[in-house]
Amino acid sequence: MGFDKTAKMKYVLVSGGVISGIGKGVIASSTGLLLKTIGLKVSSIKIDPYMNVDAGTMAPTEHGEVFVLDDGGEVDLDLGNYERYLNITLTRENNITTGKIYQHVIEQERAGKYIGKTVQVVPHLTDAIQDWVERVARVPVDDTKETPDVCIIELGGTVGDIESAPFIEAMRQLKRRAGKHNFLQIHVSLVPVIQGEQKTKPTQQAIRDVGRAGLVPDIVACRCDVELEKGTMDKIAMFCQVEPEQVIGVHNVPSTYHVPLLLEQQGLVRIVGEILQLDGVPKGKNLIARGQATWIEWQNLTMQQDRLFETVSIALVGKYTALHDSYLSVVKSLEHSAMRCGKKLNLIWVESSDLEESTKLTNTPAFHKAWHEVCTANGILVPGGFAQRGTEGMIAAAKWAREQKTPFLGICLGMQLAVIEFARHVCDIPEAGSVELNGEQCQDPVVIFMPEGDRTKMGGTMRLGLRPTIFQKDSEWSRLRRLYGDVKQINERHRHRYEVNPDYIDRLHNAGLEFIGKDDKGERMEIVELKDHPWYVGVQFHPEYLSRVLMPSKPYLGFVAAASGCLEKVTQDVLAKEGVQVNGHAANGVRI
């Protein structure tokens, strides 16, 4: 059990060329999933070339959502893909950034670790990158608590970018350090279709760029809108010095969950196995059996998705809808839940500011369109966010859902706004607001800044990571609690600076807003729910961070099931599948 310092680690580097955002993360995750299906233990590392120390201070519209880990690490959204596909638990050290690695080297230099030497990119920075990768790759990430057999390394950005150069050189050196049959590179490239012809020149040039940097890809994964023709694959193989079978076509498929099937059909596992000599890696019988069972369930769920005709319409009322990746984990959680409910997800993006009265004056068509979408949806979701813009529209959507008995789920800010809406319109506190949104002069601050919060520093100063929520006495009626298996405690991931003001709890409770979940001290409100509603739930935590493809997040699953009209059936199925005889023991939000 634990670290095995003698076994040789196998590395799979996934890099990209031609353009960014080409799908490296999904291909890396899919490769890891396929390796787990044959009984291997797999870890993942993401390298991001930006100067930020972590993703925590970046706006969602800048680089997509910020994903939060158990240890409170605020990391790139691709780590969410790894956790969802591989069912593993990563740490902040699984995400390396330029800022983080330079900070590490500079701290070493200040501490005198280089004994007066001139500190340079090569060898000091590149050595630090390799040392970091080798150390983190060996950290257990699954329930076996054993050292992984394979580490998938995704190199963000595009090969040839100036900021990627130190990492490329470090990977070249790591290949030598790892030794023969212990390092494999998959290079993801683009094959555009112009006037009906598949063009290979961009891929040829991308492989030349990689070669000039000292790396020779073992597998070329070609992204294309349509299925690659045999002639195209042969041409790429000839010019890129690989066998035709080492050219993998990754054309557009109905969903990202089909990508592992696509790779498996083209023999990716066999090719990787031959190059890395994976037959020689010891595999436990239980892991082989579990991997096969996971693969069968994955195939069944994915193929079932192709045969679904009934839809469930969910209105996502958010502030950052211009970039859908801002809510990537939210979307994935809805997809997981819809698949479990046997429905096809119809996700409707509603810009929250379009629901506000000011938009009615400035852009009447957008106002009426937004309200039509909210009013006709089967369920309304208000996700997390920061600052005031668009929040009155979110409050209006929460009010509609409450009054019209439309299933509702509020996440983090969404929960806080649902509480504010209830205070205004049910408790008759018309000036109810939030210190975050209305400032310190807020007349009735129903939501306040957390007392232990840091008002001077931004990065890493929120309430972050996995924290317990205790279900309160007499909350056994709760639909959400029942989905969790009627446990007394759950553990979910958090990311927030503000909380519901304890001074208003009694007044809200007496009016019918039930605070069924609180923190372990009984001071911080974690879950609200309405009794006389099909599904009206708000959670302070972010359950989407623990949702898995084969085990959806419980708040999302209950929400989508209620919107689909099958909450009771889904609840019974979940409890039966999980064999819920938990006797009140603590359980993580969702784990397989």
Side-chain angles (χ1 to χ4, degrees):
M1 300 281 281
F3 290 86
D4 181 355
K5 296 182 179 179
T6 60
K8 269 288 189 180
M9 177 63 62
K10 307 286 187 179
Y11 298 99
V12 176
L13 172 65
V14 179
S15 56
V18 185
I19 60 172
S20 60
I22 202 169
K24 297 186 299 295
V26 173
I27 291 172
S29 302
S30 300
T31 301
L33 171 65
L34 291 173
L35 294 178
K36 288 201 75 169
T37 65
I38 62 173
L40 293 169
K41 300 180 290 292
V42 182
S43 183
S44 291
I45 293 174
K46 173 69 187 296
I47 296 174
D48 284 302
Y50 47 69
M51 285 296 295
N52 305 63
V53 172
D54 62 30
T57 56
M58 287 192 286
T61 50
E62 183 76 15
H63 203 70
E65 75 166 2
V66 176
F67 191 80
V68 176
L69 303 169
D70 275 8
D71 66 356
E74 296 174 287
V75 296
D76 184 81
L77 57 81
D78 278 315
L79 274 77
N81 277 328
Y82 306 154
E83 287 201 340
R84 284 188 286 268
Y85 275 63
L86 307 182
N87 191 34
I88 57 180
T89 302
L90 302 174
T91 71
R92 66 182 75 226
E93 295 209 319
N94 290 83
N95 192 191
I96 306 173
T97 70
T98 296
K100 187 181 289 186
I101 201 69
Y102 269 95
Q103 184 183 60
H104 171 72
V105 170
I106 291 169
E107 286 173 353
Q108 295 279 80
E109 185 272 334
R110 292 289 86 186
K113 295 290 186 180
Y114 299 112
I115 337 174
K117 292 181 179 177
T118 302
V119 181
Q120 298 175 291
V121 172
V122 180
H124 302 102
L125 187 72
T126 52
D127 282 351
I129 294 168
Q130 293 173 79
D131 293 344
W132 190 302
V133 168
E134 287 188 316
R135 174 175 54 82
V136 174
R138 292 187 171 278
V139 176
V141 293
D142 59 24
D143 56 5
T144 68
K145 306 300 181 186
E146 295 176 353
T147 302
D149 304 306
V150 181
C151 180
I152 311 289
I153 306 169
E154 182 191 347
L155 178 59
T158 305
V159 172
D161 291 346
I162 191 168
E163 60 262 34
S164 299
F167 295 108
I168 297 284
E169 174 60 19
M171 292 301 101
R172 184 191 69 79
Q173 294 179 26
L174 180 64
K175 183 175 182 178
R176 294 190 68 225
R177 188 187 287 195
K180 195 173 183 182
H181 302 302
N182 294 320
F183 189 99
L184 175 146
Q185 183 182 2
I186 301 173
H187 194 65
V188 186
S189 187
L190 177 69
V191 177
V193 179
I194 299 176
Q195 295 182 343
E197 183 182 356
Q198 296 178 355
K199 295 292 187 180
T200 65
K201 273 292 188 291
T203 295
Q204 294 178 41
Q205 185 59 48
I207 299 300
R208 289 193 195 102
D209 290 342
V210 178
R212 279 193 286 267
L215 288 168
V216 180
D218 301 281
I219 295 172
V220 181
C222 300
R223 285 285 292 114
C224 190
D225 289 340
V226 297
E227 192 170 344
L228 283 189
E229 299 165 358
K230 184 179 183 303
T232 302
M233 299 176 80
D234 289 342
K235 190 173 181 181
I236 290 171
M238 180 178 68
F239 282 104
C240 298
Q241 299 184 49
V242 294
E243 295 300 318
E245 65 176 11
Q246 292 169 256
V247 178
I248 304 291
V250 189
H251 57 266
N252 292 350
V253 286
S255 76
T256 56
Y257 309 113
H258 289 73
V259 175
L261 279 66
L262 187 61
L263 300 181
E264 192 268 344
Q265 290 164 5
Q266 296 178 74
L268 181 70
V269 176
R270 178 182 55 79
I271 298 167
V272 173
E274 289 174 356
I275 295 173
L276 294 180
Q277 296 186 347
L278 296 178
D279 286 344
V281 178
K283 307 174 188 70
K285 290 183 179 179
N286 63 322
L287 290 181
I288 294 174
R290 187 194 296 186
Q292 291 172 345
T294 297
W295 185 234
I296 289 170
E297 189 172 0
W298 188 287
Q299 288 175 299
N300 291 341
L301 202 62
T302 303
M303 300 313 291
Q304 170 195 314
Q305 190 183 22
D306 295 336
R307 298 189 292 270
L308 296 177
F309 298 103
E310 293 185 12
T311 62
V312 56
S313 297
I314 302 297
L316 191 157
V317 183
K319 295 160 61 80
Y320 316 117
T321 56
L323 180 65
H324 292 180
D325 274 358
S326 300
Y327 300 110
L328 183 64
S329 291
V330 171
V331 174
K332 295 303 177 186
S333 300
L334 292 171
E335 290 176 352
H336 303 163
S337 300
M339 285 192 287
R340 176 57 63 87
C341 294
K343 303 289 184 181
K344 190 177 287 290
L345 177 66
N346 175 29
L347 185 57
I348 304 163
W349 296 88
V350 180
E351 179 60 40
S352 58
S353 56
D354 287 346
L355 298 171
E356 297 176 353
E357 287 297 320
S358 58
T359 303
K360 188 176 182 179
L361 301 174
T362 59
N363 192 343
T364 304
F367 175 82
H368 288 296
K369 180 176 183 290
W371 270 109
H372 173 77
E373 289 168 338
V374 166
C375 294
T376 56
N378 301 124
I380 297 170
L381 170 67
V382 177
F386 298 93
Q388 186 177 26
R389 182 186 65 82
T391 52
E392 288 300 324
M394 293 176 169
I395 290 172
K399 181 174 185 287
W400 169 269
R402 179 179 58 80
E403 293 179 340
Q404 302 301 317
K405 307 291 186 185
T406 300
F408 172 86
L409 178 61
I411 305 295
C412 196
L413 175 66
M415 167 192 152
Q416 295 170 5
L417 295 177
V419 173
I420 290 172
E421 186 281 319
F422 194 89
R424 287 180 183 177
H425 302 112
V426 179
C427 299
D428 194 25
I429 312 176
E431 298 303 317
S434 164
V435 170
E436 177 186 14
L437 311 177
N438 309 110
E440 296 293 340
Q441 70 276 11
C442 182
Q443 188 171 325
D444 281 296
V446 174
V447 176
I448 58 173
F449 193 85
M450 291 187 296
E452 71 271 30
D454 189 328
R455 294 177 181 269
T456 58
K457 294 181 181 178
M458 292 291 289
T461 58
M462 287 189 270
R463 184 170 179 252
L464 295 163
L466 194 72
R467 296 173 183 267
T469 292
I470 312 298
F471 283 113
Q472 300 301 291
K473 184 182 177 182
D474 300 326
S475 65
E476 289 79 10
W477 60 268
S478 164
R479 298 169 182 84
L480 177 59
R481 178 173 180 174
R482 189 158 170 247
L483 261 177
Y484 274 111
D486 229 10
V487 294
K488 293 181 179 177
Q489 174 180 318
I490 58 173
N491 299 305
E492 293 277 6
R493 294 177 181 175
H494 292 67
R495 185 177 188 248
H496 65 109
R497 283 194 178 90
Y498 296 85
E499 63 176 336
V500 177
N501 190 341
D503 294 343
Y504 288 82
I505 300 304
D506 288 344
R507 192 167 172 184
L508 292 162
H509 171 74
N510 292 336
L513 189 61
E514 303 285 350
F515 293 90
I516 66 161
K518 299 181 182 180
D519 72 347
D520 50 353
K521 295 180 180 178
E523 299 171 351
R524 187 159 283 136
M525 304 303 113
E526 294 280 1
I527 307 173
V528 299
E529 188 171 349
L530 289 179
K531 261 187 180 180
D532 58 345
H533 196 288
W535 183 275
Y536 194 94
V537 172
V539 293
Q540 184 59 72
F541 47 82
H542 287 265
E544 63 269 20
Y545 293 145
L546 282 177
S547 189
R548 302 290 184 261
V549 180
L550 303 181
M551 186 64 71
S553 155
K554 301 301 168 59
Y556 282 93
L557 180 59
F559 167 61
V560 173
S564 303
C566 59
L567 177 59
E568 181 59 30
K569 178 181 182 301
V570 167
T571 301
Q572 294 286 355
D573 290 347
V574 167
L575 298 183
K577 180 178 179 181
E578 296 180 7
V580 175
Q581 298 293 332
V582 292
N583 299 321
H585 294 303
N588 277 350
V590 277
R591 301 277 197 219
I592 297 178

